[in-house]
Amino acid sequence: MSPLASGPQGPTTLRPLLTTVLDALTAGAATRDGPLPAGGPTEVAARLREALGDPLPDHGDEDALRTLVQALAAGAADPADPLCTAHLHCPPLAVATAADLAASVLNPSLDSWDQAPAASELETLVTRALAAEVYGKADQAGATGDALVTTGGTESNQLALLLAREHHGHTQLICAENAHHSLRRATWLLGLPEPVTVPAPAGTMDPAALGEALTALQGPRGSLLVAATAGTTDAGLIDPLPDIATLCETHGARLHIDAAYGGGLLFSDRHRPKLDGLNRAHTVTLDLHKLGWQPIAAGLLAVRDRHDLAPLAHHADYLNADDDTEAGLPDLLGRSLRTTRRPDILKIAVTLKTLGRTGLGALVDRVCEQAAQFAELLDRHPRFELHDRPTISTVLFRPADATDDTVAAVRRTLLTEGRAVLGRARLDDRLWLKATLLNPHTGADDLAALLKLVEGHTPR
């Protein structure tokens, strides 16, 4: 019989397997020897196919764990490598990853209390604490916030639009050109009209243009939903949240703020003021697998008034029978559109408790300072052009006098060689290289090495 991970013998069974996994991770990283495997898609795929062989053989292979973990590590992008800076893809904290293992071992499913007695209470306590971080303990009307655990910003944004639609019927989304693509996709998924897009001439929503759009659209109170952004994907910019919130209040529009990236600034005393106005939104998207250093997935949707979650109520007799609910068993189905849900809250709870606000804030301050240092380095370098000073931890730059084709080619060359992982962003009708700094251990020498790599691969 194949041994189980849970139960009294589970830890004993797991211990040697964890040694195998850790050894395979070490061997895979040594084989890769950089932020990305060399060779590009064709070579990486060939190596993986060779390691996998027959995905479903007639007879098992007891060495499969070592083989496949090593192959995956050898073919992975390593977010902890200082030269891996393309995306909002953070290196997870060791303590959070260890907690995630415990969640997998115990395997609670948060769709009924009898499958997750402690996990359901932990989720309630931690999500309400995070909602209070956004909104405070109660607003002037006495409403208290709450938060739902999601798989990330896409699900959170979709939920925000769903709640708006269910509360107000016809809903017209208004967003800026800088809005995340998931918002437009959510309107399609929910059968809502095409979003009204307002200009973002400096990379952030133009309040004057928003005011004109709200005036032109009008409609019943609450039928207009404005989606602002706190931490754009391309440049990490933050929309003028106080001005946008005032316009929404004036026009009776509902406000959602996508703070999937920027929400982590809440933990920093130094950078939290950049989020002024966040607490005036009806709903807020947060992603702690970005500026929170959690293993994927660790998304949340915070709501200013927990009564706003009422439309998610759902009944399935085998999970939340009326007599069980009346007898005091918690009803969990209204906490998500998903049924089976793993306890992603555990790793978040362990991180918050282990580091505290001060510890998390120090990590946020560190990566923001790295970005400022990198921008200064670029600004002084005669062969590079800096787009602008960073708002959070994303820096856009390009080789001076390079064409867009050259910028794209340099990035792809570095990717194919496995030397560096840089993103790309189009702003001001030009293509920029994007470095998103999320590794608090990155040093000044690493940033200088990244620039030297780009410079060495730029044709002259």
Side-chain angles (χ1 to χ4, degrees):
M1 295 292 288
S2 297
L4 302 176
S6 54
Q9 302 305 316
T12 301
T13 301
L14 271 175
R15 204 174 302 277
L17 296 175
L18 293 181
T19 298
T20 298
V21 167
L22 296 175
D23 289 346
L25 288 171
T26 301
T31 300
R32 184 184 64 244
D33 192 30
L36 200 73
T42 301
E43 290 189 27
V44 171
R47 291 193 291 266
L48 192 282
R49 284 197 299 269
E50 182 181 1
L52 176 63
D54 184 353
L56 186 58
D58 289 334
H59 302 287
D61 177 1
E62 63 180 16
D63 205 31
L65 178 64
R66 180 194 62 78
T67 300
L68 292 183
V69 170
Q70 183 171 332
L72 192 67
D78 181 8
D81 190 295
L83 302 184
C84 189
T85 65
H87 301 287
L88 288 162
H89 179 194
C90 71
L93 292 166
V95 70
T97 307
D100 214 27
L101 170 64
S104 294
V105 168
L106 296 169
N107 212 27
S109 179
L110 281 110
D111 50 315
S112 66
W113 181 87
D114 57 342
Q115 298 175 82
S120 59
E121 180 64 13
L122 184 67
E123 184 177 85
T124 298
L125 295 172
V126 176
T127 52
R128 290 186 178 177
L130 288 169
E133 196 68 21
V134 176
Y135 292 113
K137 302 217 178 276
D139 67 14
Q140 292 178 344
T144 51
D146 203 349
L148 303 180
V149 176
T150 70
T151 54
T154 294
E155 184 186 349
S156 295
N157 287 341
Q158 289 174 352
L159 271 174
L161 266 66
L162 174 66
L163 293 175
R165 187 193 71 179
E166 293 304 295
H167 277 290
H168 303 290
H170 172 83
T171 297
Q172 176 64 64
L173 175 66
I174 307 169
C175 60
E177 296 167 338
N178 65 345
H180 193 264
H181 64 85
S182 62
L183 287 161
R184 294 178 178 85
R185 200 173 191 192
T187 61
W188 163 75
L189 182 67
L190 296 169
L192 298 174
E194 279 287 314
V196 172
T197 303
V198 299
T204 57
M205 183 184 285
D206 179 1
L210 174 62
E212 291 171 5
L214 288 168
T215 300
L217 290 166
Q218 294 183 353
R221 187 173 187 84
S223 64
L224 301 179
L225 172 65
V226 174
T229 307
T232 59
T233 304
D234 278 346
L237 303 177
I238 298 175
D239 286 340
L241 304 181
D243 293 342
I244 293 170
T246 297
L247 283 167
C248 288
E249 290 160 3
T250 300
H251 290 270
R254 189 177 174 96
L255 175 59
H256 170 65
I257 297 177
D258 179 358
Y261 178 16
L265 300 179
L266 287 168
F267 301 117
S268 165
D269 291 341
R270 184 186 309 171
H271 295 284
R272 185 184 178 106
K274 295 176 182 177
L275 296 179
D276 284 350
L278 192 73
N279 63 335
R280 296 166 68 182
H282 295 79
T283 51
V284 174
T285 288
L286 303 171
D287 258 14
L288 295 182
H289 56 238
K290 292 184 171 67
L291 206 60
W293 296 279
Q294 297 300 292
I296 297 168
L300 296 123
L301 177 70
V303 296
R304 188 167 66 191
D305 185 346
R306 67 182 55 159
H307 295 106
D308 266 10
L309 300 176
L312 298 181
H314 183 65
H315 182 263
D317 194 66
Y318 76 105
L319 294 174
N320 60 349
D322 290 340
D323 57 319
D324 278 349
T325 303
E326 291 168 4
L329 294 184
D331 177 0
L332 306 183
L333 281 187
R335 302 289 302 173
S336 177
L337 291 180
R338 293 173 285 149
T339 302
T340 302
R341 288 195 300 120
R342 73 190 305 273
D344 288 316
I345 200 65
L346 176 61
K347 61 198 174 194
I348 297 172
V350 167
T351 300
L352 298 177
K353 192 73 173 175
T354 302
L355 274 71
R357 185 181 286 101
T358 302
L360 273 172
L363 295 181
V364 172
D365 291 347
R366 173 65 182 148
V367 295
C368 290
E369 180 59 29
Q370 289 169 357
Q373 291 172 359
F374 191 41
E376 183 64 28
L377 185 64
L378 284 159
D379 198 37
R380 295 198 310 263
H381 200 299
R383 292 188 178 147
F384 287 97
E385 181 181 353
L386 173 68
H387 178 266
D388 204 353
R389 299 288 172 175
T391 301
I392 307 178
S393 67
T394 296
V395 181
L396 301 185
F397 67 101
R398 51 184 284 146
D401 303 320
T403 65
D404 283 0
D405 288 344
T406 297
V407 172
V410 168
R411 173 180 173 272
R412 283 193 294 269
T413 298
L414 291 171
L415 289 176
T416 302
E417 293 178 356
R419 306 289 296 279
V421 191
L422 285 162
R424 55 184 287 164
R426 184 166 292 279
L427 269 80
D428 304 332
D429 204 29
R430 291 200 292 168
L431 187 64
W432 300 83
L433 295 172
K434 177 174 70 170
T436 302
L437 302 174
L438 290 175
N439 182 348
H441 297 289
T442 297
D445 290 346
D446 299 314
L447 300 176
L450 180 60
L451 273 194
K452 188 166 286 190
L453 273 174
V454 176
E455 185 180 5
H457 284 73
T458 304
R460 296 183 192 159

